[in-house]
Amino acid sequence: MNNKNWAFFGTSNFSVIILEEMKQAGFLPTLIVTVMDKPKGRKLIITPPETKVWAEKENIKVIQLKTLKVQESVDLICSHGPFDFFVVASYGKIIPQSILDIPKLGTINVHPSLLPKLRGASPLQSAILTENETGVSIMRLDAGVDHGPIIVQKKLLAWSNEDVPYFEDLEKSMGHEGGKMLAEILPDWLEGKVVEQEQDHSLVTLCGKIEKENGELNLEDSAEINLQKIRAYHIWPGAYFFLGKMRVIVKRAHVEENRLVIDQVIPEGKKEMNYKDFLRGHKS
């Protein structure tokens, strides 16, 4: 492994957790490919992706690309090669065949779902919304979306309808376990000792990009449905309802005797507070 030249494609906190686990196992990429800095928060402050921050801290070369679909991007990546393999984890964009063809041994993807379930952009949030279990699949990427053969897969967590995980807890758990799985399987895969398994494409389910309006709650829905939305969208876009014209983001909630109990909220323009305190202040 230490003689291999490899690049990592990733963007989010999930990507950084994978990188940290690989680092602990003694495996560091020679290049990190990520997206451009973007405005974030209410003040739209230009913010680098988490993987760029991590790469600079670890003194690893990093390149940021607007798109992978142009020859200039292919040429720039190749200028840092030749590469033995690529690893992709939460990059956020489809990797075109022109990029997949660069490394000699292929490209591995760490995907936090039990493929072929939940192919696509939001597997963790969608698992919270629609499933009662999930895990990590490590696969070889091909031109399809999460379509390639499975290298290794493991179910890691199950839950009840009244105790679904919060997104950030699930992300940490799947990231740490996925990184350990990758570090363990990678040497054997590189030596051709792993038999890849074709996915059962008849069982595919898909999950798309999350939009801001997906977070709106209907408080007339069942407690379980609203709890799933609150915990799936806890980081972004935030699950919310309107009290009059005021938008109220629900940060913490639980189910008690089949009833949704809201614990913590962020009223529009204010800081996070206890929901009972908010109601008292709102009524007064």
Side-chain angles (χ1 to χ4, degrees):
M1 275 295 300
N2 292 329
N3 297 323
K4 302 297 184 183
N5 190 39
W6 61 285
F8 182 92
F9 291 66
T11 299
S12 70
N13 185 55
F14 180 79
S15 311
V16 171
I17 297 170
I18 297 288
L19 285 165
E20 277 292 330
E21 287 295 340
M22 293 293 284
K23 175 186 171 183
Q24 291 299 317
F27 307 142
L28 283 173
T30 51
L31 175 70
I32 289 180
V33 181
T34 189
V35 299
M36 306 300 291
D37 296 359
K38 293 180 180 179
K40 282 190 176 182
R42 286 187 294 175
K43 296 184 178 180
L44 298 178
I45 297 172
I46 301 299
T47 305
E50 285 94 336
T51 45
K52 178 184 178 182
V53 175
W54 188 89
E56 291 176 342
K57 183 185 72 174
E58 299 293 334
N59 295 314
I60 295 172
K61 295 176 186 175
V62 57
I63 56 177
Q64 295 174 270
L65 300 172
K66 289 183 178 179
T67 177
L68 297 177
K69 297 179 181 179
V70 297
Q71 188 60 41
E72 289 86 350
S73 295
V74 177
D75 293 342
L76 180 57
I77 293 170
C78 286
S79 70
H80 294 275
F83 290 102
D84 294 290
F85 65 96
F86 290 160
V87 172
V88 179
S90 190
Y91 181 68
K93 296 182 180 181
I94 294 174
I95 312 291
Q97 192 65 48
S98 58
I99 302 293
L100 297 177
D101 288 339
I102 294 173
K104 179 172 61 176
L105 299 174
T107 300
I108 288 180
N109 181 34
V110 183
H111 185 79
S113 84
L114 297 172
L115 291 171
K117 284 186 176 182
L118 302 180
R119 292 179 181 174
S122 56
L124 292 173
Q125 296 93 331
S126 297
I128 295 169
L129 292 168
T130 64
E131 305 286 334
N132 61 4
E133 64 178 20
T134 195
V136 169
S137 302
I138 296 178
M139 54 172 286
R140 179 167 53 81
L141 271 185
D142 60 19
V145 177
D146 300 322
H147 175 277
I150 301 295
I151 296 169
V152 63
Q153 183 179 83
K154 187 182 293 185
K155 185 172 81 171
L156 296 170
L157 190 66
W159 56 84
S160 68
N161 289 340
E162 294 191 351
D163 193 27
V164 297
Y166 283 95
F167 167 79
E168 67 270 33
D169 295 331
L170 190 59
E171 180 184 53
K172 288 178 183 177
S173 176
M174 296 301 106
H176 285 299
E177 292 300 324
K180 290 173 184 175
M181 288 168 58
L182 176 62
E184 183 177 345
I185 199 68
L186 193 53
D188 284 345
W189 181 78
L190 291 172
E191 293 182 13
K193 296 179 180 179
V194 177
V195 178
E196 300 175 348
Q197 299 293 324
E198 187 73 13
Q199 295 185 44
D200 185 344
H201 302 296
S202 68
L203 300 177
V204 169
T205 60
L206 302 174
C207 55
K209 183 179 178 182
I210 296 169
E211 304 294 345
K212 192 169 184 178
E213 55 268 23
N214 294 142
E216 184 168 3
L217 300 170
N218 178 356
L219 296 181
E220 299 301 317
D221 284 341
S222 72
E224 287 78 13
I225 288 174
N226 280 324
L227 186 72
Q228 288 165 348
K229 294 181 78 170
I230 290 164
R231 296 192 174 184
Y233 301 142
H234 183 249
I235 297 298
W236 195 90
Y240 62 91
F241 63 91
F242 288 96
L243 193 59
K245 294 184 178 181
M246 179 185 291
R247 184 170 177 265
V248 181
I249 298 175
V250 181
K251 295 301 290 181
R252 296 280 171 181
H254 66 279
V255 171
E256 197 173 286
E257 297 179 350
N258 296 318
R259 182 176 62 90
L260 182 71
V261 179
I262 298 174
D263 299 309
Q264 295 287 124
V265 297
I266 302 178
E268 194 167 2
K270 299 183 179 181
K271 296 181 178 180
E272 183 171 336
M273 64 178 66
N274 181 276
Y275 185 54
K276 291 180 180 178
D277 292 341
F278 163 69
L279 288 178
R280 281 194 290 267
H282 185 71
K283 289 175 182 178
S284 61

